[in-house]
Amino acid sequence: QAQLAESGGGLVQTGGSLRLSCAASGSIFVINAMYWFRQAPGQQRELVAQITSNGRTHYADSVKGRFTISRDNAKNTVYLQMNSLEPEDTAVYYCAADLTPRAGTLKAYWGQGTQVTVSS
């Protein structure tokens, strides 16, 4: 089995920065793409950023130029550096990964989420 665990969320003022981390653990054969999603209260979950196994990235237009996704394959960890934060960025942030566990098949895994609150 495999698990994802986010960390790094918190309360920050407008214009501040946070760095989210998400570490995969357990019996993992390979991790393919990794993602960051977010969900604000009463809103749909939306894709924020993604990164492939080869390091290609994609960002939602709302965060492009402010957020940076990266990964450390040796640590099975994906990061989201968030700069110039705005109140509209307030949400629960979830990491996800397409991964194949040992003795298993390719499947999407989700973390529990970490709260990011940006005060005005």
Side-chain angles (χ1 to χ4, degrees):
Q1 60 183 30
Q3 303 86 34
L4 302 178
E6 303 98 334
S7 63
L11 175 64
V12 66
Q13 295 184 21
T14 297
S17 298
L18 285 172
R19 190 193 192 203
L20 306 183
S21 300
C22 175
S25 62
S27 184
I28 298 170
F29 175 65
V30 65
I31 301 176
N32 299 111
M34 303 188 81
Y35 313 83
W36 285 100
F37 290 80
R38 68 185 182 187
Q39 188 167 20
Q43 303 296 316
Q44 295 181 233
R45 186 172 298 183
E46 64 174 341
L47 176 65
V48 176
Q50 65 185 86
I51 185 167
T52 70
S53 60
N54 293 325
R56 298 186 66 180
T57 59
H58 171 79
Y59 300 92
D61 288 341
S62 59
V63 307
K64 192 172 299 182
R66 299 188 297 121
F67 291 9
T68 302
I69 188 171
S70 61
R71 64 190 290 170
D72 185 336
N73 291 332
K75 297 180 179 179
N76 287 337
T77 300
V78 63
Y79 305 94
L80 186 67
Q81 178 66 47
M82 304 184 294
N83 299 325
S84 301
L85 284 163
E86 305 168 353
E88 292 74 21
D89 296 316
T90 295
V92 177
Y93 284 71
Y94 300 89
C95 71
D98 295 329
L99 66 83
T100 302
R102 296 187 184 276
T105 57
L106 179 65
K107 184 180 179 180
Y109 287 78
W110 293 82
Q112 294 295 105
T114 185
Q115 177 71 47
V116 171
T117 302
V118 184
S119 62
S120 59

